[in-house]
Amino acid sequence: MLAILLEDDQHSREVMISLLNSIGYESVLCASSIEEATYFFKQNSSQIRLIISAHTSNMGPDLPLSRLIIQNRALDLIPLLLVTNDSMPKKLPVFYNRLSRVDDLLSRPFGLNRLKASIEFAHHRRAELRSTLFYLGSNHGNELAEAVYAGSKQFHWKKVINTLSLQELVSQMKTVGFSFGGVIIDEDMVTDALVDWAKAFKKAHLGALTPICVLGRDPNKIKNMRTVADLFCEQNEYLNEMLSLISNRLFYQWEMRDQIKEIRELIKQQKFSSAKKMLSKVSGLDPERWEILELEGSLAMEEGRIEDAIERFESAMVTQPCSAFSHLSLLTLTGNDRVILERALSFCPHHPEILRIASNMNLEVPAAWS
Amino acid sequence: MVMKSELLNSVSLYGETSTSFLTLYDGFSYFKTNEGTLAYVSTTTAWVGAGDPLIVQGSPIEFLKQFQAAAKKMRKQAILLPASQGLALEARKEGFYAIQIGSEPWLSFESIPPKVHQQARKLLAKSAVVEAFDPLKISSQERSGLDLITQDWLDHRKTAPLSFLNKIEPWSFVTHKRYFRVIFHGAQVGYLAAVPIPAKKSWYLVDLIRAPDAPIGTTELLIIEATKQLKAQGAEQVTLGMSPFAPIEGDEKKLGLSAYWWFEKFYDRLNFLYGFKSLFQYKEKYNPVSWKPQFVIALDKKITVSMLWGIFRAIYPQGLLPVLASLVAKIPDKLSIRKFYSSLLSPRIVPRSPPQGLLEIIQNSKATLILIMANVLFFFTSTDSNFRLRPMMAEGFAFSGHHFFDQDLTFHGAVDLTMASFLHWNTFHLFFNVMTFLFLVTFLEFVAGSAIVAITYFTGVILANPFTLVILYPVIRYVFPHSFQSFFEERDVGSSLGIYSCIGMLACFTKYEMKIMSAFSVGVVGYAAITGSFLSLNHITAILIGYMMGKKYVATI
């Protein structure tokens, strides 16, 4: 990830680069002036993931840097932090000027914890502005719109745009710009073209930050979306809950990114107490996230809490029925229960381990799957 | 009289060292025989030869003997530097004294490591341009710009003007040199001049000049581009010139000469005078293909003070005073308080921006200045005409175990403890505390802010004495019972508890937490031992209070 840093003081600059490196911003470009920053924005806009300015010239009411960033649409998603010496940042007028584009004020002195918290807050602020949902389908447009316009406090969505085709969806996305924050797709609309588009979309920075939810759990219809959709919901489930799940995925994308990876690593290394400690922190943010539920299930499994583990994996599969890991874990926990195996086969028909278990149990595997 | 054209011809044919071409500059005399030519500078005590002689025929040592004889006729001693290793070893066989004074790195384009290329590429990514240029073809404005850069560079270095082989004459023999420059955002920010070593098909990158505010990567970009282009023109290698007192390796080190021990100390310790180490490390990062030792050869059995003085006068023809003046001029930079404080700071915390100018210094040290003023004000109102604390004030407000246990532990207790901190026994006591305020508490305020200073100061002032009392009570009662009474009657005033608390907090913002804590704690223990005062151990409590607060605070940020 690439960060742009404007900082005059050499010591502070070196420390900030070191802190940013430690949290995944491997590349940090230091600009000594607005002109240099302009050049960096032009050359690297698709790679920039964070902008931090401690430059004194950005501290004035005009905030030339933030004006510069507003003009560059490619930077709409990028958090902007302003570093100040002021210990009461809320007094600064910029905080009350919603057009200023500054996402958070980071007051010195600060270290890694405050920097991370500020970046998280900045990501949330960017996410908050992404309050438009796209719906691709014809069955639930009105219900979704009603749920959103009802102004529920469970989520931040403000608008739903209904689209009936992939072309319409793509064209509307371009019009709306970065303010859309999620895509809901009816399972009936899943086609090869849509899958290809979704894969390409997920590779871009905007796509990586945008949750895709598929409405429906028919294994045959959704199987091609299993690597690109972030979650799957039943069509007749409470829409508010679904909208809340999508909202959480959008908001906590940045926090979860490394935490989940780290927790998995800790479990692999059998450092269960550290994993548990870390998991308890993140699960408070987004408890229904299927990755969190899977991790809780894994920990429960390691600790011998079978019932808890089964419950967690089952809960994970509510929104992610295509996770081979959950299926395999349940098979292990239930001693290869036939019903669970059939379900695993339906959602992960090509998984070699599941096929092997089926074969061992003499379960008939359709020829197309073998 | 030796004609320059003749010399140029000799250099082209026989000049095998990096400094051969530089002997064409003005300021040298020439010792010429049928065997060869040697450029030299005549000083009051010695003839100082510039590098290896240009030998046409015969033995270089025989030539040097003739040079020595000629110098002796003029009542001068003879010495030459920098000489190649081959010549030095031959000279030793003849009984002359030769000693290594540095090493010269030789680079090839392929040997330059990726990290250096990356530095150059970063600058190119910022739209810098590097190009070869001909000084005769650029505009007068551009030429003036380059001259200005040279002057700024010289002014910035604050050294006395150099001569001998260290002259900066980029525009001499322009047609024989190669030039490169970096342009950044439309302005020239640095340039390089290379002189040929024709007999070796190599080049010496002799002048590497950058503007003081040139962006990082300027010199790297120049060196890489020059090396690349010169290679394309047929050069085998380039050299960056000698690094004085560079580490001595191999057989030379095994000689174990006492001078080499001194050179090692110069290299390690005298960098405030000249960047011996940083220069070597800078050249080393280009991953030279080889480092060629460079020697000084005294044409005698030993090197004498006259010879050394001769070398000094050859390099600094204006004498000792300008050199001393330039050293004095460097002192403010070397003693830069800002640089010193930055070097102490932790690499894990971004501190508040250092203040620029007096007004900002005052603004950023409000809490400290208010505390100092309060202490001074209280001092003048609480002392007698001899500036000693009035007994009545000491009786009423000084902390003591006796007094403390008479109080109830409420607000009034805290007020009394705070009051005690604004009293001082005498002028010296106040002065010492004000000095530590200015140098240590101010530093904390610059780094962490006024609120941190205020909270830490008053916490230390209020809690240090009671905690000390509670901790030491059982120890003194049972281990030093004879001191119990005096411990209880001991009195304490002064702001040092608040200051020590701030020092403990400050330690958490630096790289040297344990060293700071240990140094101040040992000082306190020493003071307590000398004065026999158990209560003065309250300073350790204060510093620990500040330290624990600091650890907690730093963990949250």
Side-chain angles (χ1 to χ4, degrees):
Chain A
M1 291 197 293
L2 173 65
I4 306 293
L5 174 64
L6 288 91
E7 165 60 81
D8 294 329
D9 180 57
Q10 186 186 346
H11 173 81
S12 298
R13 190 169 54 239
E14 284 168 8
V15 175
M16 274 200 254
I17 291 172
S18 166
L19 293 178
L20 287 167
N21 286 162
S22 72
I23 52 173
Y25 295 93
E26 304 96 0
S27 223
V28 180
L29 285 175
C30 299
S32 54
S33 64
I34 292 289
E35 291 73 25
E36 215 173 336
T38 310
Y39 176 78
F40 286 150
F41 293 154
K42 266 191 206 150
Q43 297 295 315
N44 304 289
S45 56
S46 61
Q47 289 142 359
I48 298 171
R49 296 291 176 262
L50 177 68
I51 302 167
I52 301 183
S53 175
H55 209 264
T56 48
S57 67
N58 291 318
M59 295 301 290
D62 285 344
L63 291 174
L65 181 68
S66 69
R67 277 191 284 114
L68 181 69
I69 293 171
I70 288 170
Q71 285 160 14
N72 188 337
R73 299 308 304 275
L75 300 175
D76 282 344
L77 287 178
I78 309 305
L80 169 62
L81 304 183
L82 201 60
V83 178
T84 112
N85 269 353
D86 198 316
S87 57
M88 300 287 282
K90 287 184 171 55
K91 283 187 178 175
L92 286 178
V94 64
F95 219 75
Y96 295 98
N97 182 359
R98 305 302 289 180
L99 296 175
S100 73
R101 177 60 175 87
V102 172
D103 292 308
D104 197 25
L105 295 172
L106 188 54
S107 57
R108 305 174 198 251
F110 65 89
L112 190 62
N113 289 338
R114 233 186 235 170
L115 177 63
K116 275 165 83 170
S118 191
I119 293 175
E120 280 169 20
F121 182 84
H123 274 283
H124 288 180
R125 191 139 180 266
R126 287 289 98 204
E128 211 175 273
L129 298 171
R130 302 180 63 197
S131 53
T132 301
L133 261 178
F134 276 103
Y135 170 63
L136 176 60
S138 53
N139 300 326
H140 303 284
N142 291 336
E143 293 160 60
L144 278 168
E146 274 172 26
V148 165
Y149 291 132
S152 170
K153 287 192 174 119
Q154 284 178 285
F155 42 77
H156 75 294
W157 307 114
K158 292 195 171 40
K159 190 176 175 185
V160 178
I161 296 179
N162 293 340
T163 58
L164 295 171
S165 69
L166 177 61
Q167 288 77 11
E168 195 184 346
L169 174 69
V170 171
S171 141
Q172 288 280 4
M173 274 183 177
K174 281 185 186 148
T175 314
V176 164
F178 93 104
S179 71
F180 83 90
V183 182
I184 301 173
I185 301 171
D186 259 353
E187 64 178 358
D188 295 327
M189 304 298 288
V190 176
T191 59
D192 289 345
L194 177 75
V195 172
D196 288 341
W197 168 84
K199 282 180 181 168
F201 177 65
K202 273 296 187 182
K203 282 182 184 158
H205 181 49
L206 176 62
L209 292 177
T210 307
I212 295 178
C213 172
V214 172
L215 266 188
R217 291 163 59 88
D218 183 336
N220 289 322
K221 290 182 183 175
I222 68 169
K223 65 177 183 226
N224 289 335
M225 289 293 283
R226 67 182 180 277
T227 56
V228 287
D230 295 280
L231 64 162
F232 299 82
C233 293
E234 287 285 4
Q235 296 204 14
N236 56 357
E237 275 178 355
Y238 290 120
L239 285 179
N240 280 359
E241 278 180 14
M242 180 187 72
L243 291 171
S244 181
L245 283 174
I246 302 172
S247 191
N248 281 350
R249 282 207 87 94
L250 176 64
F251 267 83
Y252 299 116
Q253 198 77 346
W254 196 84
E255 284 98 315
M256 295 292 172
R257 185 178 57 99
D258 291 326
Q259 307 266 22
I260 288 172
K261 200 171 153 189
E262 215 177 312
I263 296 168
R264 278 188 183 135
E265 199 50 46
L266 287 169
I267 292 175
K268 208 171 160 186
Q269 292 168 8
Q270 306 204 324
K271 293 178 182 170
F272 300 125
S273 57
S274 306
K276 205 168 178 180
K277 202 172 166 185
M278 218 167 154
L279 191 52
S280 66
K281 278 187 196 159
V282 294
S283 64
L285 295 174
D286 191 5
E288 299 303 317
R289 196 178 184 107
W290 63 264
E291 293 97 328
I292 301 289
L293 291 165
E294 266 193 0
L295 288 170
E296 285 175 347
S298 297
L299 265 179
M301 213 162 117
E302 293 293 340
E303 290 173 351
R305 294 182 282 117
I306 307 298
E307 296 299 324
D308 276 346
I310 292 174
E311 194 218 324
R312 290 291 189 277
F313 285 120
E314 288 287 359
S315 300
M317 288 210 295
V318 167
T319 50
Q320 181 48 285
C322 302
S323 167
F325 181 74
S326 288
H327 288 291
L328 285 168
S329 301
L330 281 169
L331 284 168
T332 307
L333 289 165
T334 58
N336 296 335
D337 179 84
R338 199 177 179 84
V339 169
I340 289 175
L341 182 56
E342 283 172 358
R343 183 177 60 178
L345 276 170
S346 68
F347 282 106
C348 304
H350 300 290
H351 197 279
E353 186 58 24
I354 293 172
L355 287 172
R356 187 192 65 77
I357 295 172
S359 167
N360 286 347
M361 288 187 59
N362 297 319
L363 193 69
E364 196 181 319
V365 174
W369 291 356
S370 301
Chain B
M1 178 75 172
V2 182
M3 302 293 288
K4 285 282 182 186
S5 54
E6 206 182 316
L7 278 167
L8 187 57
N9 193 47
S10 291
V11 166
S12 301
L13 290 171
Y14 310 111
E16 294 189 348
T17 63
S18 55
T19 51
S20 303
F21 193 92
L22 302 179
T23 58
L24 296 171
Y25 290 179
D26 292 339
F28 289 100
S29 304
Y30 300 94
F31 176 75
K32 190 175 186 307
T33 66
N34 290 335
E35 282 75 30
T37 311
L38 175 63
Y40 70 97
V41 169
S42 177
T43 69
T44 50
T45 54
W47 279 9
V48 183
D52 284 15
L54 303 168
I55 300 297
V56 176
Q57 61 185 11
S59 154
I61 294 299
E62 291 308 315
F63 176 85
L64 287 180
K65 284 179 180 172
Q66 292 174 35
F67 179 71
Q68 181 201 26
K72 203 170 175 181
K73 269 189 194 165
M74 304 300 288
R75 297 178 193 275
K76 312 270 186 180
Q77 297 189 304
I79 190 165
L80 64 144
L81 76 155
S84 62
Q85 188 174 29
L87 187 63
L89 294 176
E90 277 192 55
R92 275 185 185 152
K93 284 181 194 162
E94 287 298 318
F96 292 139
Y97 183 86
I99 192 159
Q100 185 176 342
I101 52 162
S103 292
E104 191 175 58
W106 287 80
L107 319 178
S108 69
F109 180 70
E110 292 77 19
S111 72
I112 298 175
K115 200 172 173 182
V116 178
H117 281 283
Q118 200 180 10
Q119 276 181 301
R121 271 199 293 271
K122 270 187 182 167
L123 183 55
L124 288 171
K126 293 181 187 181
S127 71
V129 170
V130 62
E131 60 183 20
F133 73 98
D134 183 346
L136 298 174
K137 291 184 180 162
I138 58 176
S139 67
S140 56
Q141 200 181 355
E142 284 171 307
R143 180 72 173 260
S144 304
L146 294 172
D147 288 336
L148 198 61
I149 290 173
T150 309
Q151 193 52 53
D152 282 344
W153 182 79
L154 288 168
D155 291 342
H156 198 70
R157 277 160 47 110
K158 291 183 183 154
T159 52
L162 296 170
S163 189
F164 198 55
L165 294 168
N166 304 98
K167 280 187 237 181
I168 308 291
E169 286 189 14
W171 315 127
S172 298
F173 297 91
V174 151
T175 52
H176 296 274
K177 292 181 181 175
R178 296 288 179 271
Y179 298 88
F180 302 85
R181 63 180 172 177
V182 169
I183 298 171
F184 186 64
H185 293 165
Q188 298 172 118
V189 292
Y191 73 94
L192 178 156
V195 298
I197 311 170
K200 284 280 194 189
K201 284 192 197 167
S202 299
W203 291 80
Y204 171 23
L205 308 185
V206 63
D207 296 320
L208 183 59
I209 313 287
R210 64 192 265 285
D213 59 352
I216 293 170
T218 298
T219 55
E220 287 81 2
L221 190 52
L222 280 166
I223 290 173
I224 287 171
E225 188 64 21
T227 313
K228 187 168 106 182
Q229 288 205 27
L230 291 169
K231 183 193 169 189
Q233 291 166 24
E236 289 176 1
Q237 287 184 339
V238 301
T239 178
L240 299 178
M242 187 179 78
S243 218
F245 301 132
I248 295 168
E249 308 282 333
D251 293 337
E252 200 57 36
K253 189 170 181 175
K254 287 176 192 163
L255 292 176
L257 299 174
S258 58
Y260 291 155
W261 184 88
W262 285 102
F263 291 172
E264 207 176 303
K265 295 300 161 210
F266 295 161
Y267 176 80
D268 280 331
R269 305 282 171 86
L270 292 187
N271 286 282
F272 64 93
L273 288 176
Y274 182 86
F276 300 112
K277 199 184 231 178
S278 55
L279 184 63
F280 174 79
Q281 286 168 345
Y282 176 77
K283 293 178 181 180
E284 166 94 335
K285 83 173 180 183
Y286 289 91
N287 191 30
V289 170
S290 62
W291 281 90
K292 292 192 178 152
Q294 301 282 286
F295 289 76
V296 64
I297 301 175
L299 298 179
D300 205 330
K301 284 190 173 33
K302 59 180 181 186
I303 196 163
T304 62
V305 171
S306 303
M307 290 174 179
L308 292 174
W309 180 244
I311 292 173
F312 179 83
R313 288 307 301 265
I315 296 173
Y316 296 105
Q318 294 180 5
L320 190 55
L321 275 177
V323 173
L324 291 175
S326 70
L327 287 176
V328 168
K330 280 185 185 174
I331 288 172
D333 282 344
K334 301 296 176 194
L335 289 182
S336 161
I337 291 173
R338 189 170 156 170
K339 274 187 194 169
F340 172 67
Y341 277 154
S342 288
S343 70
L344 297 177
L345 292 173
S346 165
R348 294 185 308 276
I349 299 171
V350 178
R352 287 161 66 82
S353 301
Q356 314 275 353
L358 185 60
L359 188 61
E360 265 191 45
I361 288 173
I362 293 170
Q363 280 173 341
N364 285 17
S365 50
K366 289 191 291 292
T368 311
L369 291 174
I370 289 170
L371 286 169
I372 290 174
M373 285 192 305
N375 274 279
V376 170
L377 187 67
F378 269 87
F379 179 75
F380 285 112
T381 55
S382 62
T383 51
D384 58 25
S385 54
N386 292 322
F387 298 113
R388 290 184 185 282
L389 185 67
R390 287 198 221 114
M392 182 183 76
M393 296 300 285
E395 271 292 329
F397 296 104
F399 174 89
S400 68
H402 205 63
H403 189 210
F404 182 75
F405 282 114
D406 288 342
Q407 303 274 358
D408 57 75
L409 293 172
T410 60
F411 175 73
H412 291 290
V415 168
D416 281 355
L417 286 165
T418 310
M419 278 295 298
S421 75
F422 287 107
L423 304 177
H424 290 82
W425 295 116
N426 51 47
T427 325
F428 175 75
H429 189 199
L430 176 72
F431 177 77
F432 181 78
N433 281 343
V434 167
M435 286 297 113
T436 44
F437 260 121
L438 284 174
F439 285 103
L440 294 169
V441 181
T442 315
F443 185 23
L444 176 64
E445 195 165 356
F446 286 162
V447 166
S450 305
I452 294 292
V453 163
I455 292 168
T456 312
Y457 179 86
F458 286 109
T459 307
V461 152
I462 292 169
L463 294 181
N465 270 328
F467 278 19
T468 307
L469 206 60
V470 165
I471 293 164
L472 288 183
Y473 181 96
V475 174
I476 294 173
R477 190 181 172 110
Y478 297 110
V479 179
F480 304 100
H482 52 279
S483 303
F484 188 68
Q485 188 64 28
S486 60
F487 170 64
F488 254 75
E489 285 168 3
E490 226 183 308
R491 286 182 190 167
D492 182 60
V493 295
S495 51
S496 50
L497 294 182
I499 294 169
Y500 266 67
S501 190
C502 289
I503 291 169
M505 169 70 77
L506 177 63
C508 298
F509 284 90
T510 70
K511 290 183 217 169
Y512 307 108
E513 276 181 34
M514 282 301 118
K515 284 184 181 163
I516 290 173
M517 294 295 290
S518 308
F520 281 94
S521 301
V522 163
V524 167
V525 168
Y527 177 79
I530 291 167
T531 57
S533 159
F534 279 103
L535 190 58
S536 56
L537 294 173
N538 55 9
H539 290 74
I540 294 183
T541 315
I543 205 172
L544 283 172
I545 287 170
Y547 182 70
M548 286 192 295
M549 287 172 68
K551 289 301 275 182
K552 191 80 187 160
Y553 178 67
V554 162
T556 60
I557 63 170

